[in-house]
Amino acid sequence: MSSHEDKPNSPSCERNREPILTVLRDYLVGDQRVLEIGSGTGQHAVHFAAALPRLIWQTSDREENLPGIRAWLDEAALPNTPTPWELDVAGTWPEATFDAVFSANTLHIMAWSEVQRLFAQLPGITRAGATLIIYGPFNYHGHYSSDSNAAFDQWLQARGAHMAIRDAEAVDALAASAGFALVEDIAMPANNRCRVWRRIHT
C-alpha cells in the first residue's frame, strides 16, 4: 500500500471538492455508474465515492496518471471504485454504458479536437437520460468571466498553444450534437462553473 507521501496531490482538488460534491448530490440520484474522464490525481474520486456510496465511480485517465490514481484508490479501499481505466479521449474508448459522466478541469487542457472527440463519443457510452457534469472555467460569448480567468488563459497558452478556456456556447453546441441539453449552469468558487446536461436523444 502506498504511503501518503507517494500519492500525487492537487491543492485545487482539496479546495473545490465540497462545492462539486454539492452539485453531484443534486444531480446524481439513484443507483448509477459514473465515468470520470480525466481523473488526474484520483483525489476527487475517493472523496465523491466515499460520500456517495451508492454510486460506482469509474476513474479513467491517460496511462501516465494511472499509478497515482491507483495509490489513492488503494489507500481508501472503497468498494465502489473499480480499477482505473486507461482512457485517452483521442484513442480507443471503452465498450460500456454509464448513467453519468463527470469531468473536472479537463476541457481547457485538451486540444479543441480532443474536446470534440470527447463529446462525439458520449452517445456510445451513455444511456438515454444520462447526466453529464463538467466543472471548470468557461468563457461566455467570447469574453472572459473574470480577470483571473483571463490571466489563467494566458498562462495556459504559454504552456501549450492547444490549451485554452472554452466558450460555453461552443461546448453547448457539441453537447447538443451528442444529444445532450443543458439543464443547469452553476456558479462555483474561483470563477469556475459546474455545467450540467442531460441526454434527451437516444
Side-chain angles (χ1 to χ4, degrees), residues 80-144:
N80 57 332
T81 54
T83 300
W85 287 353
E86 180 183 351
L87 176 58
D88 184 328
V89 296
T92 301
W93 281 62
E95 293 186 8
T97 302
F98 291 89
D99 303 294
V101 175
F102 169 78
S103 194
N105 288 325
T106 54
L107 299 193
H108 56 270
I109 301 298
M110 301 177 192
W112 181 244
S113 61
E114 293 174 320
V115 177
Q116 292 173 311
R117 168 98 172 145
L118 186 161
F119 279 88
Q121 292 297 312
L122 291 178
I125 63 162
T126 56
R127 62 165 179 80
T131 302
L132 170 65
I133 301 176
I134 295 182
Y135 169 88
F138 287 90
N139 292 337
Y140 291 86
H141 305 290
H143 298 290
Y144 297 114

